[in-house]
Amino acid sequence: MAKPHVLVIPYPAQGHVMPIMELAQRLVAKDIKVTFVNTEVNHKLVTTNWLDKDGFGGGLMEMVSIPDGLEAWEDRSDLCRLTNSIMQSMASKLEELIEKINKEDGCKITCVIADDGMGWAIKVAKKMGIRRAAFWPASVATLVAMLSFQKLIDDGIIDNNGMPLKDQTIRLSEPMPPLKPANLPWTCFEDAATVKAFFQVVIEVVEAAGLTEWFICNSATELEPAAFGLHPQLVPIGPLLATDRLANQTGHFWHEDSTCLPWLDQQPAGSVIYIAFGSFTIINQTQFEELALGLELCGRPFLWVVRPGMTKEAVVTYPDGFIERVGSRVRIVSWAPQQKVLAHPSVACFVSHCGWNSTLEGMTNGRPFLCWPYFGDQFYNEDYICDIWKTGLRFEKDEGGIIRRGEIKSKVEEVLSNKNYVTRALEMKEKVTGSIREGGRSHGNLGKFIEWVQEKDTNQC
């Protein structure tokens, strides 16, 4: 029987690659051929860290790459430069790749699923007459803010370059959390050039939204009813987590250190503080030391992810005597198998940067949060956690912008001593996991989307 052939392309960031990779795995499980397109740099990272290279995708998943327009030696942490380069150079390369596949593969591309942050890819698919779907990996509230950019301009909240003009909080709808203009997804960067570059991505997002036949989102109605209510064309299919493969995720940029799991086995149930700030968060040495000393003051075992590049300094330096004092009650790793960690019965709470993937992983495991947002949608996710779902607490900074050790100790004790946080976290877990089980709304939507992908097309092999 003829197989549909889907090309999948994520925005080149860890938090974008992993959920759309999970979607690709769901397609492969339904006997759909997938060509997964990363940038050359990320392709190398992802394929280096595959969990099962030989059996990956069952032969139906092919990993390919196209250049992002930067030289190999250029700094990809410069988000302004990277974003501008992607938008200027990758469209023609993607078109060339599709033409090559259609000519040589014998199984033409029948559908393109693109991260909506790569809106230009949707335009390429339309130009080539290929069916297309947009995928949104973050919170729908963040997407709604992007879709509202013209109204924000008209209301005098932002200027034509996306820069904030007012300080007062706004609401995209009454049931949604209030939002500071400085915390809009594109306004949280330090320099105007990066804000302007990301605002161009927002414009592409909105344009591409009008060119798609499906707009699927890695969220659930149970999490964001008000946001989904504003835009009925947005279809929840999440959370997309690796629950059907024993939480063995693919798409990591770093090697997972699974040695932390036997260490967790040795800790009492509900005792461990888990700290992980994702792939982008950077803190200075003062803040790093305050965090370390705050965790020490808590007197509990803790598992801490300290990835390369997490501090502004080239070498991570712990406070004098810290490692000796905390001894065996700390485990420090450079990258953790996070879903497995959060599912472990010894974990008590999650100190998180509130990236959407981490938020979903914590929610689906019923863990209360302590929120440490860094940029982008993370501030709005913090509002969800603390003010809407009420499953966690936010830290307060001092006048110098530092979260001090005493504040860390105090908030850890508060979230763990107040059983209401655990109760609400478990209630939200049931709601969200129910959505992805058979009979749930996200489960049903994903099934309908896959059926659409499988529809016969004259270009099928």
Side-chain angles (χ1 to χ4, degrees):
M1 183 178 177
K3 288 184 175 64
H5 186 176
V6 177
L7 182 142
V8 175
I9 182 166
Y11 182 84
Q14 177 73 97
H16 291 247
V17 172
M18 289 179 61
I20 204 169
M21 176 71 78
E22 182 61 33
L23 174 61
Q25 293 280 52
R26 306 295 176 92
L27 298 176
V28 166
K30 295 297 184 179
D31 204 32
I32 296 170
K33 184 172 182 178
V34 173
T35 296
F36 197 99
V37 184
N38 274 307
T39 62
E40 290 175 340
V41 170
N42 289 351
H43 174 80
K44 184 176 180 180
L45 292 172
V46 170
T47 54
T48 298
N49 290 298
W50 280 355
L51 293 169
D52 180 12
K53 296 181 182 180
D54 295 333
F56 186 75
L60 287 176
M61 177 92 77
E62 183 177 5
M63 305 291 289
V64 301
S65 65
I66 55 178
D68 59 18
L70 296 179
E71 298 296 333
W73 48 267
E74 291 188 86
D75 181 12
R76 283 162 176 80
S77 64
D78 183 341
L79 296 179
C80 177
R81 186 172 180 82
L82 175 62
T83 300
N84 285 329
S85 180
I86 288 171
M87 294 181 68
Q88 293 168 9
S89 66
M90 287 185 71
S92 62
K93 298 299 181 183
L94 179 63
E95 189 170 346
E96 290 172 8
L97 172 65
I98 293 173
E99 288 176 344
K100 180 180 179 182
I101 291 172
N102 287 346
K103 181 179 179 180
E104 300 177 0
D105 190 275
C107 186
K108 294 183 178 181
I109 301 294
T110 57
C111 178
V112 169
I113 303 175
D115 187 308
D116 203 49
M118 306 282 268
W120 52 265
I122 299 291
K123 294 180 180 179
V124 169
K126 180 173 174 57
K127 174 186 174 183
M128 301 183 76
I130 301 171
R131 294 194 301 166
R132 52 216 168 267
F135 175 76
W136 187 250
S139 71
V140 172
T142 302
L143 178 57
V144 167
M146 293 181 171
L147 295 175
S148 304
F149 85 84
Q150 188 58 56
K151 185 177 187 305
L152 295 176
I153 292 175
D154 295 342
D155 292 346
I157 305 299
I158 59 174
D159 65 19
N160 288 326
N161 290 318
M163 295 294 292
L165 295 173
K166 296 181 178 179
D167 292 332
Q168 83 268 22
T169 58
I170 58 175
R171 283 186 185 270
L172 300 173
S173 78
E174 192 58 36
M176 293 177 67
L179 177 64
K180 295 179 181 178
N183 287 340
L184 286 163
W186 62 89
T187 60
C188 56
F189 301 97
E190 294 180 357
D191 63 289
T194 304
V195 172
K196 186 175 180 179
F198 269 87
F199 191 60
Q200 290 304 307
V201 173
V202 171
I203 294 172
E204 288 273 346
V205 163
V206 176
E207 291 177 353
L211 303 176
T212 57
E213 297 168 72
W214 280 77
F215 202 139
I216 51 178
C217 302
N218 186 29
S219 186
T221 306
E222 291 78 4
L223 286 173
E224 307 185 82
F228 278 110
L230 285 175
H231 293 276
Q233 77 274 24
L234 303 178
V235 180
I237 64 166
L240 289 169
L241 303 172
T243 53
D244 58 340
R245 291 191 306 283
L246 301 177
N248 290 323
Q249 292 178 302
T250 51
H252 288 285
F253 289 4
W254 292 281
H255 175 70
E256 292 180 331
D257 185 348
S258 295
T259 61
C260 61
L261 298 176
W263 179 85
L264 285 173
D265 291 339
Q266 299 169 17
Q267 310 308 315
S271 67
V272 175
I273 306 166
Y274 173 56
I275 312 97
F277 294 150
S279 57
F280 269 116
T281 302
I282 299 174
I283 59 179
N284 61 33
Q285 184 62 28
T286 299
Q287 182 62 88
F288 183 81
E289 291 186 9
E290 286 295 319
L291 174 55
L293 294 171
L295 294 170
E296 180 184 350
L297 283 175
C298 291
R300 287 175 167 267
F302 58 96
L303 171 58
W304 189 6
V305 178
V306 181
R307 70 166 206 285
M310 179 176 155
T311 62
K312 293 182 178 180
E313 290 71 25
V315 179
V316 171
T317 304
Y318 295 92
D320 289 343
F322 168 76
I323 297 296
E324 292 76 17
R325 291 193 302 272
V326 294
S328 62
R329 69 180 175 90
V330 61
R331 182 74 179 183
I332 300 173
V333 297
S334 60
W335 199 249
Q338 185 159 284
Q339 281 190 230
K340 293 182 179 179
V341 168
L342 288 168
H344 199 284
S346 70
V347 172
C349 66
F350 185 11
V351 181
S352 172
H353 67 305
C354 304
W356 189 243
N357 288 320
S358 291
T359 299
L360 293 178
E361 288 164 359
M363 292 291 292
T364 53
N365 284 290
R367 302 303 177 201
F369 282 80
L370 289 158
C371 301
W372 196 304
Y374 177 62
F375 82 130
D377 65 323
Q378 296 163 13
F379 295 97
Y380 216 17
N381 299 341
E382 176 189 46
D383 291 338
Y384 263 143
I385 291 166
C386 299
D387 303 328
I388 303 298
W389 305 328
K390 300 185 186 301
T391 57
L393 294 170
R394 50 174 57 86
F395 289 112
E396 300 297 333
K397 296 180 179 179
D398 68 6
E399 294 179 356
I402 299 295
I403 300 171
R404 293 294 176 181
R405 67 193 76 172
E407 168 70 2
I408 294 167
K409 178 178 183 292
S410 173
K411 288 298 171 62
V412 168
E413 290 178 348
E414 183 177 351
V415 83
L416 293 182
S417 63
N418 187 335
K419 299 302 181 183
N420 289 330
Y421 292 109
V422 175
T423 299
R424 284 192 288 265
L426 291 174
E427 289 173 350
M428 289 301 300
K429 171 186 175 180
E430 287 305 307
K431 289 182 180 180
V432 176
T433 56
S435 186
I436 57 178
R437 289 195 293 265
E438 187 170 355
R441 185 173 301 183
S442 287
H443 183 276
N445 288 337
L446 180 58
K448 291 175 184 177
F449 174 69
I450 291 174
E451 288 175 1
W452 174 80
V453 171
Q454 292 172 323
E455 289 177 2
K456 288 188 177 181
D457 187 281
T458 56
N459 289 327
Q460 283 184 343
C461 56

